Amino acid sequence: IFFSCIECFSSVNFFLSLYRFQACVYFASVFQAMSCGIHYLASVFMAVTPNFVCGIPGNVSSVLFYNSSESSIEDIWTLWTSTENYIVVRLENGEIWELNQCSRSKREVSLDLAYEYKGNKSIFSCSDGFLYDDTKWKSTVVTQWDLVCDREWLAKLIQPTFMLGVLIGAVIFGDIADRLGRRRVIWFTSAGQFVFGIAVAFTFDYYSFVIVRFLLAMVSSGYLVVAFVYVTEFVGIKARTWASMHVHAFFAVGIMVVALVGFLVRTWWVYQIFLSIATLPFVLCCWMLPETPFWLLSEERYEDAQKVINIMAKWNKVSTPCKVSELCSVQQDDLVSGRTGDNDTSSAKKHNILDLFCNWHIARRTITVWLIWFTGSLGYYVFSLSSVSLGGNEYLNLFLIGAVELPCYVIACIGMDKLGRRNTLIPFLILSALICVLIMFIPQDFNILIVLANMAGKFSIGVAFGLIYLYTAELYPTIVRSLAVGSGSMMCRAGSVVAPFCVYLRSVWIFMPLLLVGIMALLSGILTIMLPETLGKPLTNTLAEATEMGRSKKSCSGKTTPAHSGAALEKIEMFCQETVSTEK
């Protein structure tokens, strides 16, 4: 209740800082982020593997499981406790079979129906398919295409291939959005989420299922990346931190929707259709979203930018909207002063990823930031994906794992503004490592305590994961800032690809995923101590300034060009935002 009050109060303050036009654009855009959370975690129920045994070559007359005798196998599943168990069945022709998960054996002597048998057996493969426990799920992709035993590895590739599509989609659509505009990418990826989401439900085999989900992952990731940029370019400067954080919050709501729909719908293709329908309202209205004025200005489409600014002014009841011609003159003056103020501007250097390792201080910073991105993503998805295996009600577990994110982003925003970026990041990374260790010492019978501890771990890693976006942008100068954030995002996607494989290590040791996340979080927290604090400090423009922010006098070799164009864009942004927000 306390965290809900904080979330409500903080959200009200955030929403009050937005004006009518920005609020409509913001809510319309972040609503679709909910569907991204839905598709990212949909496989936790869609690809679940229920209890199963080999199929039988005939009609069953009686079934025996230890001392319990039933007339059908369906009545035995409530007694099934281990994969090492087997079921003894007598067929109508008198044959007695022992049914294991990946093999079956026929008893040579078929006299008495007993569970223990010392005689000779003939072992056969599961050529007649498998029998599945359908008490929880009527159908999953595992039962649909028998992704068990020697085909189990195909089921384990479902989530990693999706995350690979997330990685590729972020790269492709991020670049397309810079070339063709944010609005077109939002249109395409929104429609793509609906079309591919529905298409997944009607795939005819495993391979078509994986391919369509791969495409779904690309458009979902593409939307999420572009949506961050889109809302950032529309909201005011003061509301920017909260606006970006609340995009994460809508993603978390999507996870909660997965838990709710999974509880209500137990057939995988119907479940997928219901999840995809959540995308439909936005698809029907996304065509009304405007292009951002900043992208239009960067493309020198001044008339179109002026039209958007006039619409913003009309919605917000501003009598004196800013003029693009005045903004252009500001930029031109900035560029002229930049040329006359520095003779080296003509020899501007093109920067690449090697500039993130130009000296020891910047290189150490880059390695630490990359590790935090990777650890945040790894921990986020390990806690989310493994929540259905904690015991108790798996639907409630996933719902709580999603719900705990809502207050964590509020805490992250408050901590960043009050304590600083580094001073908030360090304790929550170390805390998540300690929680991972603590979970290992909780007895497995204490299901409620285990779920609460995992919620605390998700809360801690969620704060760090949400904070690193802004912190990375502030740690690097203008000339390589986009490169730094982009490379960090790539490490984040790599962590999301590794996370499902990490969860599968539970079969080796139940605490192996937590151990790996704990080690990575502890290492990240220790290395973060060496990062500089950026709260209240101006953004740097050159690598030399960024190095000096790290309290080092050694600069990168070679001269770097001051980002005059970046400064001009900042002036344009300030001028536009302040003009639009002058009166209610």
Side-chain angles (χ1 to χ4, degrees):
I1 296 174
F2 171 72
F3 281 129
S4 298
C5 291
I6 291 179
E7 173 74 15
C8 180
F9 176 75
S10 303
S11 298
V12 168
N13 288 335
F14 162 61
F15 297 145
L16 289 176
S17 66
L18 295 180
Y19 285 81
R20 186 182 304 172
F21 182 87
Q22 287 93 326
C24 292
V25 170
Y26 180 81
F27 280 116
S29 302
V30 299
F31 176 80
Q32 186 74 346
M34 183 175 65
S35 66
C36 296
I38 287 173
H39 294 306
Y40 275 45
L41 273 296
S43 66
V44 295
F45 296 130
M46 184 166 52
V48 67
T49 301
N51 296 324
F52 67 94
V53 292
C54 261
I56 46 181
N59 297 322
V60 177
S61 61
S62 58
V63 181
L64 183 65
F65 184 74
Y66 287 104
N67 297 325
S68 300
S69 179
E70 303 290 346
S71 59
S72 65
I73 295 179
E74 287 75 12
D75 300 325
I76 294 295
W77 293 123
T78 56
L79 307 174
W80 189 273
T81 57
S82 172
T83 58
E84 302 298 326
N85 295 333
Y86 63 89
I87 298 174
V88 180
V89 299
R90 184 195 294 274
L91 304 184
E92 292 180 349
N93 60 10
E95 295 178 350
I96 297 178
W97 290 77
E98 294 181 7
L99 305 180
N100 294 287
Q101 283 202 324
C102 297
S103 64
R104 58 185 179 176
S105 56
K106 177 183 177 182
R107 294 179 179 179
E108 298 297 336
V109 179
S110 304
L111 297 177
D112 298 327
L113 182 63
Y115 195 75
E116 300 292 339
Y117 176 74
K118 303 295 184 181
N120 295 327
K121 305 176 185 178
S122 299
I123 301 177
F124 298 89
S125 62
C126 301
S127 57
D128 292 296
F130 299 87
L131 300 174
Y132 296 97
D133 177 11
D134 61 357
T135 55
K136 284 188 176 181
W137 277 85
K138 299 300 181 183
S139 173
T140 70
V141 295
V142 173
T143 63
Q144 180 87 15
W145 296 305
D146 289 336
L147 305 180
V148 293
C149 297
D150 57 340
R151 288 168 57 86
E152 181 183 9
W153 65 277
L154 294 174
K156 291 185 175 181
L157 283 179
I158 290 176
Q159 188 65 16
T161 53
F162 183 91
M163 289 303 182
L164 182 61
V166 168
L167 188 153
I168 296 175
V171 176
I172 292 177
F173 287 106
D175 181 66
I176 293 176
D178 288 337
R179 297 173 183 271
L180 301 181
R182 287 78 164 99
R183 183 175 63 168
R184 291 181 181 178
V185 173
I186 284 178
W187 288 356
F188 178 81
T189 54
S190 299
Q193 284 190 82
F194 178 73
V195 172
F196 292 133
I198 297 296
V200 166
F202 295 97
T203 49
F204 52 87
D205 62 7
Y206 169 80
Y207 298 101
S208 62
F209 170 82
V210 170
I211 291 173
V212 176
R213 265 183 58 88
F214 183 85
L215 298 175
L216 175 62
M218 289 182 62
V219 294
S220 297
S221 174
Y223 180 87
L224 197 60
V225 169
V226 177
F228 270 105
V229 178
Y230 188 78
V231 299
T232 298
E233 292 180 349
F234 265 115
V235 299
I237 296 173
K238 293 182 180 179
R240 187 157 298 164
T241 300
W242 288 89
S244 62
M245 282 295 183
H246 278 70
V247 176
H248 290 288
F250 277 84
F251 186 94
V253 172
I255 298 177
M256 298 162 66
V257 172
V258 170
L260 179 61
V261 176
F263 175 75
L264 297 174
V265 183
R266 305 300 177 91
T267 302
W268 77 267
W269 60 272
V270 180
Y271 161 84
Q272 176 65 30
I273 290 175
F274 271 89
L275 292 179
S276 301
I277 289 176
T279 309
L280 186 58
F282 182 80
V283 173
L284 297 177
C285 68
C286 68
W287 60 271
M288 295 185 292
L289 292 177
E291 185 57 79
T292 66
F294 299 104
W295 184 83
L296 294 172
L297 288 172
S298 68
E299 295 293 311
E300 299 183 355
R301 293 169 56 179
Y302 303 121
E303 292 184 2
D304 294 332
Q306 186 65 63
K307 291 179 182 178
V308 175
I309 292 173
N310 291 339
I311 294 174
M312 294 171 67
K314 182 178 179 180
W315 275 61
N316 295 333
K317 298 181 179 179
V318 176
S319 58
T320 56
C322 60
K323 303 296 183 181
V324 170
S325 58
E326 297 175 1
L327 301 181
C328 293
S329 64
V330 172
Q331 187 177 22
Q332 290 294 332
D333 293 342
D334 227 19
L335 291 174
V336 171
S337 63
R339 292 192 186 99
T340 58
D342 191 347
N343 294 328
D344 294 330
T345 305
S346 58
S347 58
K349 173 187 173 183
K350 289 186 177 180
H351 297 277
N352 54 51
I353 198 168
L354 295 180
D355 289 300
L356 300 180
F357 299 88
C358 66
N359 64 34
W360 164 244
H361 299 283
I362 298 296
R364 184 178 61 187
R365 185 178 306 176
T366 299
I367 293 172
T368 302
V369 168
W370 282 4
L371 183 62
I372 297 171
W373 277 92
F374 182 87
T375 303
S377 180
L378 179 68
Y380 182 94
Y381 287 106
V382 165
F383 280 115
S384 298
L385 295 173
S386 61
S387 62
V388 296
S389 305
L390 299 178
N393 190 309
E394 58 266 39
Y395 307 104
L396 179 60
N397 293 349
L398 183 63
F399 184 88
L400 294 176
I401 286 294
V404 77
E405 288 188 54
L406 301 181
C408 94
Y409 296 131
V410 176
I411 298 298
C413 288
I414 296 175
M416 283 192 295
D417 292 339
K418 302 298 182 181
L419 303 177
R421 284 72 160 122
R422 184 186 62 181
N423 296 335
T424 302
L425 186 59
I426 293 173
F428 279 102
L429 282 172
I430 296 178
L431 178 61
S432 61
L434 295 177
I435 292 174
C436 289
V437 175
L438 176 63
I439 294 175
M440 298 181 191
F441 292 95
I442 300 176
Q444 292 300 298
D445 296 335
F446 291 62
N447 290 334
I448 296 178
L449 191 57
I450 291 175
V451 172
L452 291 176
N454 275 269
M455 289 176 62
K458 177 69 176 298
F459 180 93
S460 300
I461 207 70
V463 171
F465 194 29
L467 187 152
I468 192 59
Y469 282 82
L470 180 61
Y471 193 28
T472 302
E474 294 176 341
L475 283 172
Y476 290 89
T478 304
I479 55 176
V480 293
R481 184 169 296 126
S482 296
L483 187 63
V485 175
S487 62
S489 180
M490 289 290 290
M491 295 302 297
C492 166
R493 307 305 174 191
S496 65
V497 173
V498 174
F501 294 107
C502 187
V503 173
Y504 297 148
L505 291 177
R506 286 174 59 92
S507 60
V508 178
W509 184 42
I510 191 172
F511 297 123
M512 184 64 75
L514 292 173
L515 178 63
L516 295 177
V517 172
I519 292 174
M520 297 291 289
L522 180 61
L523 180 60
S524 300
I526 294 173
L527 292 178
T528 304
I529 297 174
M530 296 182 289
L531 293 179
E533 180 56 68
T534 59
L535 178 62
K537 295 182 180 180
L539 295 177
T540 57
N541 286 330
T542 66
L543 288 167
E545 293 175 1
T547 304
E548 186 179 353
M549 182 175 62
R551 295 181 180 178
S552 172
K553 299 300 181 182
K554 182 179 178 181
S555 62
C556 301
S557 60
K559 294 183 178 180
T560 55
T561 305
H564 297 294
S565 59
L569 286 176
E570 290 179 5
K571 289 183 179 180
I572 293 173
E573 178 180 7
M574 289 286 292
F575 191 84
C576 254
Q577 295 291 351
E578 291 175 1
T579 304
V580 173
S581 304
T582 52
E583 50 185 271
K584 292 185 180 180

